[in-house]
Amino acid sequence: MINLEFEKIFGASPAQISNAPGRVNLIGEHIDYNGGTVLPMALPIGLEVALAPRRDELIRIASDKFDGIEERRLGEVKTGGWADYAVGAIEFAVRAEYLQRGVDLYISSMIPDGAGLSSSAALIVAILKAARQQSERDVTDADIAVLARQVENEYIGMPCGIMDQMAVAVSQPGEAIALDTTTLDYDLVSLPDRYHFVVLHSGQHRKLSDGRYRKRTLECEEAKKAAKRDDLCLLSECEIAKLDVAQNIRKRAFHCITEHARVLAAIEALRKDDMNAFGALMNESHFSMRDYFEISTPEINVLVADAVKYGAIGARLTGGGFGGCVVCAVDAELADAWKATLLAHHPNAKFIC
Ligand code: ADP
Ligand code: MG
């Protein structure tokens, strides 16, 4: 019970408890900052926070995943440590006037961090939702998502799009969210029970704030500058061929336009209940991340190839890339045997959900 944990650490009861799920992106990678449509799904595993406002400027944070109690003051600069994400959420909640002053905060999480399952967005959204309960303000879940993205972009310096924050702020496990990342319009799309979307950790840990994600966002910026428009995903193949840019930039842009088209086709396939088409699009998405966006790793390529070899109808790297998780669509009746075979060949991989 999170309130008991909170009491044990801080010696008083929390005022608010809130939560947010992790998310897995079924298809549509690195296009949420390029005007694309994406298709993430909330996970059955999530993260919980307990919070109590303080009468001073102190922020105290404890987490079941990290040691010690981190102490900071409102307005202090970030340190590069694990608590920065939570401190950033509190700083922005104070700026938005959801909170008045400092807080005590405890975090309890089932989401592996740095695995591509959006522990960062879940953490920030859960804190902002707890802060919202503390205020009288009329704030929607979409407002929370937008503010949560600002925490990552402006406080952490992670130039991510809006996908993760919207996925964990507005959707529920078992449904996918077809999200237009320009307008923030979305449809909740139900997923067929006869297939499982299995999430496996490759065993390769990565931290997105290490600069590799940023490099890809800057490459996309270069393509957008050359095209003189922001909606990179909506360019045609012909327009990309004509861009006055280096070959690697053209490849990034090519991934964006084909990935956006694959997402639209995948949404259509779900609506028609054509899961074989959906699986084929997942596979193509992986090849594009491997060959054009170049965010996969040799280990993940083998894991994805074996997932399909042993019976998944589709498999791909999910999340920002360079390690972390893969997502596979598997016939529910075959899922247990498939998992056992795949894990026997990949002892470093771990089944998440
Ligand atoms: P992810 O793909 O999981 O979102 P990121 O690199 O974007 O990976 O974010 C991971 C960071 O989020 C961690 O380094 C930490 O700062 C923060 N975080 C995630 N989970 C927790 C937690 N349970 N407790 C405290 N901080 C967390
Ligand atoms: Mg993240």
Side-chain angles (χ1 to χ4, degrees):
M1 292 284 279
I2 192 164
N3 51 341
L4 297 181
E5 288 299 319
F6 184 97
E7 269 182 52
K8 231 191 292 172
I9 296 164
F10 297 114
S13 304
Q16 309 295 345
I17 291 174
S18 184
N19 60 62
R23 70 98 188 91
V24 61
N25 192 19
L26 300 180
I27 189 161
E29 220 63 73
H30 278 268
I31 58 172
D32 61 334
Y33 52 87
N34 290 313
T37 293
V38 293
L39 193 67
M41 172 183 87
L43 291 174
I45 54 170
L47 172 152
E48 223 181 353
V49 300
L51 171 152
R54 297 177 56 89
R55 295 213 181 90
D56 57 19
E57 312 291 295
L58 196 61
I59 302 171
R60 294 194 299 175
I61 304 171
S63 164
D64 65 351
K65 276 226 164 70
F66 297 91
D67 290 335
I69 300 177
E70 187 80 8
E71 287 198 6
R72 310 262 182 101
R73 297 210 150 256
L74 279 174
E76 264 179 28
V77 288
K78 64 179 197 264
T79 65
W82 64 267
D84 280 352
Y85 283 76
V87 174
I90 292 158
E91 289 279 359
F92 276 59
V94 172
R95 272 188 225 175
E97 298 180 354
Y98 304 175
L99 293 173
Q100 305 305 313
R101 313 191 77 172
V103 294
D104 289 337
L105 176 78
Y106 178 68
I107 306 157
S108 170
S109 177
M110 297 295 288
I111 313 168
D113 64 288
L117 303 181
S118 265
S119 68
S120 61
L123 174 63
I124 297 167
V125 164
I127 293 172
L128 294 179
K129 284 191 170 178
R132 173 176 66 180
Q133 292 163 22
Q134 193 58 37
S135 83
E136 311 261 284
R137 295 184 159 257
D138 188 14
V139 181
T140 65
D141 288 348
D143 295 335
I144 294 267
V146 170
L147 189 60
R149 180 188 181 187
Q150 282 171 17
V151 174
E152 293 222 32
N153 289 171
E154 295 167 26
Y155 189 85
I156 301 296
M158 235 303 275
C160 59
I162 189 70
M163 171 175 73
D164 297 354
Q165 294 76 14
M166 280 295 281
V168 308
V170 308
S171 71
Q172 299 293 323
E175 61 191 15
I177 166 174
L179 172 70
D180 177 329
T181 61
T182 304
T183 61
L184 299 195
D185 288 338
Y186 64 87
D187 276 329
L188 297 174
V189 189
S190 56
L191 298 165
D193 288 342
R194 54 181 212 289
Y195 283 90
H196 286 177
F197 288 95
V198 178
V199 179
L200 282 167
H201 196 299
S202 64
Q204 278 187 298
H205 193 85
R206 56 79 180 131
K207 210 173 164 207
L208 282 185
S209 49
D210 66 8
R212 290 178 288 182
Y213 186 100
R214 169 180 293 279
K215 187 154 184 274
R216 290 294 177 271
T217 65
L218 292 176
E219 288 166 347
C220 291
E221 283 307 317
E222 223 180 302
K224 286 188 255 191
K225 215 164 137 199
K228 298 193 180 62
R229 49 194 278 195
D230 269 343
D231 48 0
L232 187 56
C233 288
L234 303 188
L235 294 186
S236 66
E237 231 176 282
C238 193
E239 286 167 314
I240 284 182
K242 285 192 201 140
L243 289 183
D244 182 19
V245 290
Q247 186 58 9
N248 67 324
I249 305 296
R250 204 182 310 285
K251 281 166 78 173
R252 309 301 182 242
F254 185 76
H255 165 79
C256 291
I257 65 165
T258 58
E259 185 74 351
H260 174 65
R262 279 187 291 273
V263 175
L264 300 184
I267 295 166
E268 199 49 36
L270 277 184
R271 294 212 167 105
K272 288 189 186 143
D273 199 22
D274 184 352
M275 285 304 287
N276 284 325
F278 190 90
L281 290 159
M282 290 176 79
N283 295 335
E284 284 168 30
S285 168
H286 184 77
F287 300 147
S288 182
M289 289 188 284
R290 182 190 68 189
D291 300 336
Y292 288 91
F293 216 68
E294 298 181 279
I295 52 169
S296 192
T297 66
E299 292 81 354
I300 287 193
N301 293 336
V302 176
L303 184 60
V304 163
D306 282 355
V308 173
K309 180 167 134 193
Y310 297 125
I313 58 162
R316 58 187 290 280
L317 164 69
T318 187
F322 310 104
C325 287
V326 303
V327 58
C328 314
V330 192
D331 186 317
E333 285 181 9
L334 309 175
D336 286 345
W338 170 85
K339 250 180 256 167
T341 311
L342 191 61
L343 291 179
H345 287 84
H346 293 271
N348 289 335
K350 199 171 142 214
F351 170 65
I352 304 285
C353 57

